[in-house]
Amino acid sequence: MIDISGTSSSSMIIIGHRGASGYLPEHTLPAKALAYGQGVDYLEQDVVLSKDNVPIVIHDIYLDEISNVASKYPARHRSDGRYYAIDFTLTEIKTLRASERFDHRTGKPIYPNRFPLNQSTFHLVTFEEELEFIVGLNKANIDNNREVGIYVEIKEPSFHKNESRSNFSEIVIDILRKYNYTKRTDKVFLQCFDLEELQRIRVQLKSDLKLVGLLSDEKHRSIYKKNDFSYWISEIGIEDMATFVDGIGPHYSDLYEQGTTLEPSKLFNDARKHNLFIHPYTFRSDANLQPFATFDAMLEFYIDKLKVDGLFTDHPDKVVRYIESKHKQSNTGIKLQSSSLALIILSIAVIIL
Amino acid sequence: MLSFLLVLFAFELCHGSQRPLVIGHRGTAYLPELTLASQSMAHAYGADIIEIDVCLSRDNHLIVIHDINLDGVTNVADVFKNRSRSDGFHYVIDFDLHELRSLNVHERVRPLNGTQVFPLRFPSKSNVHFHLSTLNETIELLLNLNRATGRQRQLLIEIKKPEYHSKYNKSISSIVVATLKSYNLTQSTDPIILQTFHIEELMNIRKNLSSQLRLFALMTWNYVGESSSDYDFYRSEQGIRNLSKVVQGLAPDHQFVVNYDGNGTIISTSNFTKWAHQYGLSVYPYTFRKDLFLGSSFEQLVEYFWHEAQVDGFITDNPDVILELLQRGQISASSYTIVLNIFLSMFTFLFHIIRI
């Protein structure tokens, strides 16, 4: 929740997607610091295991699109030509220079107007470092009444299981416990695209953490072959999911029906019916915004019309500014109306007299 | 009458939109000082200017660090056990860049006992790996953040202890000016300001290095021994007049700007700011740290410096807090302005009608 002095116009949470990744290289500490300063409620971490089983904050299971691994360790790729984080120790990963995301085939940046490649110096961090970073920041901000929460994604449990790390989730949950993040009342969410893994976390591992079922969009469904998405997004699937998750993290385009008027989708309605909170991803002001004309129009639809419970964004400052401008409009309007009315009456009285 | 009203109208408009500049001292209070993360946070909070310090390494790289020794903010004593001087401290100028890069940076501690200097801040024993950065990395961070966010923040670079560096035959100022030049940062219109405590060095930068960059003169008490400059002279009216020929702003210890009594209560404003403004100089006192004040006394201090002392900006560890204070004051000022403007326009309109 944004603490605008007085009432806030929405009780929606803003999640810094990989930090303020619209402005600084994703998942670096400066990107997280920037997001914290821009006013997020939660900072997001994706975690993947290193060779020595240390959870690293990185979005891909590969290192070659966000670091200089290919030039620093040229021979260490697999037969598919990719460099896997799980093939590198923490010490090796710490020698890498992290950067803005680029295409590993061409070397060109994915978002050309963001932070340029090869400028300044950034590093990859461990999940534990990021937890200490956030906990430390919250401690330093007690006087400012500011507490930013953790929003962690366990990446590709099946991949990790195939690499003989079937206790990946346990490792992450243990680290969270070390920093006192264990209950649903704590400021933490645990998210995953693998619904069966979330079920295991809830039922077998008996975790009380808030769990978020991530739902991939049309384009990416083929990557997650094992999960039967048509099941999970069906009405029965949502009902099933609601027994072990607390909310869903869908792609934003799955929340409206395709057509000329943007009506809430069946998925949206089913989630609401089962009291699941909805945190769509990802709101990027520099991406294709269709069918919305502007970023603000997009935000208006999700924040004010659908009233989602939270959203993931690369540009937290823009979301904050949108919400504040809506709040200010209602405030200034009232002030202006009453004081100018009073003055008009006064002036007319002066003339008459 | 009409022209008077119009002038009043215009004046209200201008006054309502000005506010003091906010300078994020070493970034912000909330993260280890001078790290790229701390600078990024200051940028996010809207600090107009981000302040950093530079010292030279053995191989002539500009390291962004406040002290000439490494023991307050790094784990140098653990990593390089035999590289301290006889006083037990490890000096930046005794290390090469690649060695400095291997260090971990943390929240400031007292080297003798490891206690945290500001106990309410980021934990100094935290396991997060922060690093020292170079001036180049800092400039690249700032310029590209400005471009990506569309927000133009400036960099205020303090050149630490030029006389000390000269003893090693290093002209730190020349290296700073040359580094900035390599990024095309040379003009007074560029988002860079240089400052240092050694007043004569400022004259060297302006006259001998022929730099056109904006300069601020830092000032402290003579007894501190920061440099050989005579601050008793430089903060007199004549001293300020002298400085006005070379610099654009003054960054004094806040005790030069107001008079405090024995209990730390402000009694009055000194002539410092009046003289500075008389000679066209801006005043930016240091350092406003919220965690040194209890309750609302920090707010009262800021209000006094802004309204009574009329300084041009604040050098602060808490840019977010001061900006919020200024904006809260601003918001009531601007709605007052709107209401006043409506009243004035109605009045002038009616006045016209009556005259016709």
Side-chain angles (χ1 to χ4, degrees):
Chain A
M1 257 157 285
I2 299 168
D3 181 29
I4 312 164
S5 46
T7 54
S8 52
S9 63
S10 76
S11 55
M12 197 203 69
I13 61 165
I14 301 178
I15 306 148
H17 184 246
R18 308 183 209 171
S21 54
Y23 306 113
L24 284 173
E26 59 183 75
H27 285 319
T28 58
L29 291 182
K32 303 290 161 91
L34 193 75
Y36 196 107
Q38 288 182 347
V40 297
D41 301 290
Y42 285 79
L43 284 168
E44 192 223 16
Q45 304 78 35
D46 297 300
V47 294
V48 160
L49 284 181
S50 69
K51 188 169 181 183
D52 38 2
N53 300 326
V54 178
I56 309 290
V57 178
I58 181 172
H59 176 266
D60 311 333
I61 54 175
Y62 316 107
L63 289 164
D64 49 22
E65 295 208 322
I66 46 81
S67 82
N68 63 341
V69 66
S71 56
K72 198 150 171 101
Y73 298 97
R76 298 275 297 274
H77 57 86
R78 290 193 178 182
S79 52
D80 60 1
R82 305 300 302 268
Y83 296 77
Y84 287 70
I86 209 160
D87 294 337
F88 292 83
T89 62
L90 172 61
T91 308
E92 291 171 325
I93 290 172
K94 278 291 189 180
T95 64
L96 299 174
R97 287 172 50 108
S99 79
E100 183 57 35
R101 182 173 282 277
F102 59 92
D103 186 323
H104 70 282
R105 296 161 299 188
T106 63
K108 298 247 182 300
I110 305 291
Y111 299 99
N113 292 321
R114 295 191 175 186
F115 199 88
L117 302 176
N118 302 319
Q119 289 272 290
S120 200
T121 299
F122 303 93
H123 302 86
L124 293 171
V125 296
T126 66
F127 180 53
E128 201 160 339
E129 277 184 277
E130 182 155 340
L131 280 186
E132 290 214 18
F133 180 77
I134 296 171
V135 165
L137 264 177
N138 286 340
K139 173 181 174 285
N141 275 285
I142 288 177
D143 261 2
N144 291 333
N145 282 324
R146 191 87 199 287
E147 193 201 341
V148 168
I150 312 290
Y151 209 120
V152 53
E153 180 182 343
I154 293 175
K155 298 300 279 187
E156 311 225 21
S158 304
F159 165 81
H160 284 88
K161 199 161 163 192
N162 289 342
E163 300 284 331
S164 313
R165 274 90 163 181
S166 36
N167 62 341
F168 180 23
S169 298
E170 283 89 327
I171 294 175
V172 173
I173 291 170
D174 282 347
I175 293 177
L176 285 169
R177 183 178 305 117
K178 185 174 164 189
Y179 292 90
N180 285 322
Y181 289 102
T182 54
K183 306 184 293 301
R184 60 188 43 253
T185 46
D186 294 328
K187 216 164 168 181
V188 56
F189 291 92
L190 185 52
Q191 54 176 340
C192 193
F193 277 100
D194 186 331
L195 274 307
E196 281 154 355
E197 181 67 5
L198 287 176
Q199 187 166 32
R200 187 179 81 87
I201 289 172
R202 179 69 82 214
V203 178
Q204 264 86 66
L205 301 186
K206 299 188 172 29
S207 172
D208 185 44
L209 294 166
K210 290 192 288 286
L211 300 180
V212 185
L214 287 167
L215 303 171
S216 74
D217 65 332
E218 230 25 90
K219 201 164 43 132
H220 292 100
R221 246 154 236 174
S222 58
I223 301 177
Y224 300 96
K225 289 189 248 350
K226 226 195 147 207
N227 283 296
D228 183 3
F229 273 93
S230 51
Y231 169 73
W232 289 115
I233 61 169
S234 71
E235 196 168 337
I236 298 192
I238 298 281
E239 190 176 339
D240 182 354
M241 196 195 293
T243 64
F244 57 89
V245 305
D246 301 277
I248 56 165
H251 189 271
Y252 64 79
S253 62
D254 284 335
L255 292 179
Y256 56 81
E257 294 298 343
Q258 306 295 332
T260 44
T261 60
L262 296 174
E263 290 308 311
S265 64
K266 188 158 189 323
L267 175 66
F268 178 88
N269 292 326
D270 287 343
R272 284 286 180 241
K273 197 164 84 174
H274 289 94
N275 290 321
L276 296 173
F277 59 72
I278 303 173
H279 295 163
Y281 65 87
T282 307
F283 291 77
R284 298 178 167 111
S285 67
D286 55 352
N288 182 348
L289 303 174
Q290 282 193 13
F292 305 99
T294 63
F295 194 57
D296 273 7
M298 187 183 195
L299 293 176
E300 187 180 24
F301 178 73
Y302 287 91
I303 298 176
D304 293 313
K305 178 147 185 231
L306 287 187
K307 295 202 201 312
V308 295
D309 306 285
L311 54 80
F312 290 88
T313 177
D314 292 0
H315 300 94
D317 59 330
K318 296 198 161 116
V319 179
V320 170
R321 228 174 295 146
Y322 168 82
I323 293 177
E324 280 177 354
S325 72
K326 282 267 154 168
H327 176 79
K328 207 170 168 190
Q329 262 172 37
S330 48
N331 262 6
T332 317
I334 294 165
K335 263 199 187 142
L336 268 177
Q337 279 157 33
S338 53
S339 26
S340 40
L341 192 64
L343 282 163
I344 288 167
I345 293 170
L346 188 69
S347 319
I348 293 170
V350 165
I351 301 166
I352 293 170
L353 298 168
Chain B
M1 179 64 175
L2 181 63
S3 41
F4 168 71
L5 287 171
L6 285 171
V7 167
L8 193 65
F9 185 100
F11 175 74
E12 285 300 331
L13 264 175
C14 292
H15 183 69
S17 58
Q18 271 173 352
R19 64 155 174 81
L21 287 186
V22 176
I23 301 173
H25 183 242
R26 305 186 208 170
T28 71
Y30 311 108
L31 284 170
E33 60 187 70
L34 296 172
T35 52
L36 294 182
S38 189
Q39 294 176 39
S40 301
M41 189 168 265
H43 200 286
Y45 280 137
D48 302 290
I49 300 175
I50 296 161
E51 188 256 358
I52 62 162
D53 306 289
V54 292
C55 293
L56 276 175
S57 68
R58 186 165 61 186
D59 47 355
N60 296 325
H61 288 274
L62 288 162
I63 310 298
V64 177
I65 187 169
H66 178 267
D67 311 330
I68 52 174
N69 67 67
L70 295 155
D71 302 86
V73 296
T74 78
N75 63 343
V76 64
D78 297 329
V79 179
F80 293 102
K81 290 185 180 7
N82 300 316
R83 298 277 294 277
S84 62
R85 292 191 183 178
S86 53
D87 61 3
F89 288 91
H90 302 74
Y91 286 78
V92 181
I93 212 160
D94 294 338
F95 292 84
D96 294 330
L97 175 61
H98 78 271
E99 295 175 311
L100 296 168
R101 283 205 193 286
S102 68
L103 300 176
N104 282 341
V105 167
H106 54 68
E107 178 59 32
R108 183 173 279 279
V109 301
R110 297 181 186 90
L112 295 176
N113 56 19
T115 57
Q116 201 161 325
V117 174
F118 300 104
L120 300 177
R121 295 190 183 187
F122 196 88
S124 58
K125 293 202 191 328
S126 148
N127 290 318
V128 186
H129 289 176
F130 295 99
H131 301 84
L132 289 171
S133 50
T134 61
L135 179 61
N136 297 55
E137 288 162 343
T138 296
I139 293 170
E140 289 168 14
L141 178 78
L142 178 86
L143 293 181
N144 292 302
L145 251 184
N146 282 353
R147 189 157 3 106
T149 60
R151 303 260 185 233
Q152 303 310 308
R153 318 276 186 235
Q154 306 184 63
L155 194 63
L156 172 57
I157 304 169
E158 179 184 342
I159 299 172
K160 297 307 275 189
K161 301 211 188 276
E163 291 166 291
Y164 160 87
H165 285 99
S166 294
K167 286 197 231 151
Y168 298 86
N169 289 322
K170 295 182 195 292
S171 168
I172 182 171
S173 303
S174 309
I175 300 178
V176 170
V177 169
T179 303
L180 290 164
K181 187 161 179 209
S182 72
Y183 288 95
N184 240 343
L185 299 165
T186 56
Q187 304 304 308
S188 59
T189 46
D190 287 321
I192 303 289
I193 305 158
L194 298 180
Q195 65 176 0
T196 190
F197 276 100
H198 188 216
I199 307 295
E200 287 72 20
E201 184 68 5
L202 292 167
M203 291 161 183
N204 174 40
I205 293 172
R206 183 67 81 220
K207 302 201 162 92
N208 300 336
L209 300 182
S210 309
S211 173
Q212 307 218 25
L213 292 165
R214 282 171 290 152
L215 301 176
F216 287 176
L218 280 159
M219 297 203 213
T220 182
W221 302 98
N222 283 359
Y223 76 80
V224 170
E226 177 66 37
S227 81
S228 61
S229 303
D230 178 8
Y231 300 104
D232 289 342
F233 168 67
Y234 284 115
R235 62 189 173 102
S236 68
E237 184 178 353
Q238 190 175 341
I240 290 177
R241 189 170 68 222
N242 268 23
L243 281 169
S244 69
K245 301 183 183 125
V246 178
V247 307
Q248 283 60 52
L250 305 175
D253 183 309
H254 62 104
Q255 294 167 89
F256 292 173
V257 176
V258 302
N259 300 313
Y260 293 92
D261 71 8
N263 296 325
T265 315
I266 300 178
I267 325 170
S268 60
T269 309
S270 74
N271 287 320
F272 187 93
T273 305
K274 185 182 84 177
W275 291 331
H277 288 168
Q278 206 175 311
Y279 295 105
L281 297 175
S282 303
V283 176
Y284 306 101
Y286 64 84
T287 311
F288 291 78
R289 294 185 165 110
K290 186 176 171 212
D291 47 356
L292 297 183
F293 293 84
L294 297 165
S296 63
S297 50
F298 184 67
E299 182 169 339
Q300 287 163 6
L301 183 79
V302 171
E303 299 259 326
Y304 189 92
F305 272 81
W306 177 20
H307 288 122
E308 306 300 324
Q310 309 216 319
V311 296
D312 301 280
F314 297 88
I315 294 176
T316 174
D317 291 2
N318 308 89
D320 55 321
V321 174
I322 296 196
L323 278 165
E324 222 238 306
L325 289 174
L326 296 176
Q327 265 153 33
R328 260 197 275 137
Q330 174 99 30
I331 283 171
S332 45
S334 75
S335 57
Y336 165 74
T337 310
I338 290 167
V339 163
L340 184 68
N341 290 334
I342 290 170
F343 180 62
L344 285 170
S345 18
M346 298 234 77
F347 200 83
T348 51
F349 174 67
L350 293 164
F351 197 73
H352 253 264
I353 292 177
I354 291 166
R355 283 177 70 188
I356 291 167

